[in-house]
Each structure stands twice: as C-alpha cells, then as structure tokens.
C-alpha cells in the first residue's frame, strides 16, 4: 500500500513507550504516534487511551525516509466536527472529573508525609 501524507489508514498498535505508540500499517510498515498526537488533552499515560494489539485509525502526518509520523487525535478531530454540544459537554465533564480525582489523589498523599511529632 502506498502511504501519502494526509491519508487516513487503519493499523495495529504493536508497542507502547513513554513517548508514543508504534503502529503497524498495511504493507508491514511501522509508524510512530507521538504522545502529543494521541489526544487533545494532556496525556500522561498513553495506555489510558490505547492498548497493544488494538486496531486504530491514524492519519499520516509525515514520511521522512523510513520514519512515518502518525496521529490519532487528528482522525478523531474530523469525527468530532459532527458531535453534538451535549456530547462534547459530557466528554468535557468526564475528563474534568478524572483530572480532579488525580489532583486530589496526589495532594492527599503529600499532606500526610510531614512529621507531626515536631508540632506536639
């Protein structure tokens, strides 16, 4: 299969690292979805968005020799143009709740770490 920049193709996630995910494309080529191209929100753990062996649609961003740059979020952007306001609001609230939960969990862990004997 001939890949072209701007084309959307389906592939299979073959590996996940801290900086991105490797996707096997039709024809046996492998491309990288950088962590910044996984979602529109801040991505701390890619595994919350995709998993190995998952079939995904990706957009080809660049082809530089044997390096292929891919994006998941740009495929989703095209789909989200047709999403209703209520669906967008529900997604925002869900992501906001997740962020608040993470913040509370991190803050609570730090509060209990001080030595209380110094204050008694």
């Amino acid at each position: 299969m001939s890949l072209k920049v701007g084309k959307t193709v389906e592939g299979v996630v073959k590996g996940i690292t801290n900086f991105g995910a490797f996707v096997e494309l039709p024809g046996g080529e492998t491309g990288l979805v950088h962590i910044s191209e996984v979602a529109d929100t801040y991505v701390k753990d890619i595994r919350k968005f995709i998993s190995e062996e998952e079939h995904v649609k990706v957009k080809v961003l660049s082809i530089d020799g044997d390096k292929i740059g891919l994006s998941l979020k740009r495929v989703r952007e095209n789909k989200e143009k047709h999403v209703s306001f209520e669906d967008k609001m529900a997604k925002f609230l869900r992501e906001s709740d997740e962020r608040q939960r993470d913040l509370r969990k991190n803050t609570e862990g730090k509060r209990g770490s001080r030595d209380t004997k110094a204050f008694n």
Side-chain angles (χ1 to χ4, degrees):
M1 173 181 221
S2 142
L3 290 177
K4 294 182 182 177
V5 174
K7 190 172 185 179
T8 299
V9 295
E10 189 167 324
V12 180
V13 178
K14 290 297 182 179
I16 297 176
T17 66
N18 292 335
F19 58 85
F22 291 96
V23 177
E24 185 178 303
L25 303 170
E29 297 174 291
T30 300
L32 173 69
V33 177
H34 188 267
I35 192 168
S36 64
E37 290 295 331
V38 172
D40 288 330
T41 61
Y42 174 74
V43 177
K44 184 174 183 179
D45 183 8
I46 296 173
R47 288 173 177 85
K48 290 185 178 181
F49 294 87
I50 57 173
S51 57
E52 288 190 31
E53 298 303 320
E54 180 178 346
H55 290 261
V56 293
K57 286 191 177 182
V58 291
K59 188 169 191 173
V60 179
L61 298 180
S62 64
I63 302 173
D64 184 16
D66 59 348
K67 293 182 180 179
I68 302 171
L70 305 171
S71 175
L72 281 166
K73 76 178 182 181
R74 297 188 194 197
V75 171
R76 293 179 183 143
E77 284 175 353
N78 292 339
K79 289 181 183 176
E80 289 179 356
K81 288 180 182 177
H82 303 291
V83 176
S84 70
F85 173 77
E86 289 80 12
D87 290 339
K88 288 180 182 179
M89 183 59 82
K91 178 182 175 188
F92 170 79
L93 290 172
R94 185 176 59 251
E95 290 172 354
S96 179
D97 287 342
E98 289 172 6
R99 279 189 236 114
Q100 289 295 321
R101 227 175 303 133
D102 288 344
L103 279 171
R104 272 189 243 112
K105 188 168 82 173
N106 289 337
T107 304
E108 288 172 2
K110 292 177 183 175
R111 287 184 186 163
S113 64
R114 292 187 181 188
D115 185 14
T116 57
K117 292 179 183 177
F119 296 107
N120 290 335

